[in-house]
């Protein structure tokens, strides 16, 4: 499933949700255009994805992201949205270039 966030005719950001099983989903490709950063639009995308996941009866959401400095804003966003660092999930393996996050969500 894929969603996008728009302001008039301007694409602000997007995000996708992949089912890992019937109650566990993974966020994929969460992006916010540079022009719209620093305005809480990343939180808007994540909150929308969480609400959609709840509608789909997902109980746990997980994320894989980069461990490098470039991905620090994404990691801060995930922390701010209540995600916690976790072990690799699904097909992922330990990797010094990756970090893994998860969050239980309520209906």
């Amino acid at each position: 499933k894929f969603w996008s966030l728009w302001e008039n005719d301007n694409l602000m950001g997007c995000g996708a949700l992949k089912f890992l099983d019937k109650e566990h989903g993974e966020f994929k490709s969460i992006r916010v255009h540079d022009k719209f950063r620093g305005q809480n639009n990343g939180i808007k995308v994540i909150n929308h994805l969480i609400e959609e996941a709840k509608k789909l009866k997902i109980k746990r959401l997980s994320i894989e992201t980069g461990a490098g400095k470039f991905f620090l804003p994404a990691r801060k966003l995930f922390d701010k949205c209540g995600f916690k660092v976790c072990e690799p999930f699904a097909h992922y393996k330990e990797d010094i270039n990756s970090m893994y996050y998860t969050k239980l969500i309520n209906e």
Side-chain angles (χ1 to χ4, degrees):
K1 304 242 178 216
F2 177 85
W3 293 270
S4 55
L5 179 66
W6 293 81
E7 182 179 85
N8 301 317
D9 291 335
N10 298 306
L11 177 61
M12 297 169 63
C14 63
L17 176 63
K18 174 184 176 181
F19 281 91
L20 298 174
D21 64 41
K22 70 179 189 169
E23 294 185 344
H24 189 187
E26 178 185 5
F27 282 167
K28 305 293 284 183
S29 302
I30 296 173
R31 303 280 188 267
V32 173
H33 188 282
D34 290 344
K35 178 177 162 183
F36 296 101
R37 290 181 187 228
Q39 303 168 39
N40 291 321
N41 291 314
I43 290 173
K44 289 178 187 175
V45 171
I46 288 176
N47 284 342
H48 181 77
L49 293 174
I50 290 170
E51 290 307 311
E52 292 298 325
K54 287 178 182 178
K55 291 177 191 174
L56 296 166
K57 308 292 187 217
I58 289 176
K59 306 278 188 228
R60 176 183 295 274
L61 291 168
S62 298
I63 305 165
E64 179 276 333
T65 192
K69 187 176 179 179
F70 177 82
F71 296 96
L72 183 58
R75 295 192 307 268
K76 285 182 179 181
L77 177 63
F78 302 143
D79 288 338
K80 190 172 185 178
C81 290
F83 286 82
K84 302 295 180 200
V85 174
C86 67
E87 296 296 316
F89 56 91
H91 66 282
Y92 295 105
K93 308 267 187 267
E94 283 291 335
D95 182 340
I96 62 169
N97 296 308
S98 292
M99 292 199 60
Y100 310 95
Y101 291 83
T102 196
K103 178 178 180 163
L104 293 173
I105 60 173
N106 301 320
E107 291 186 32

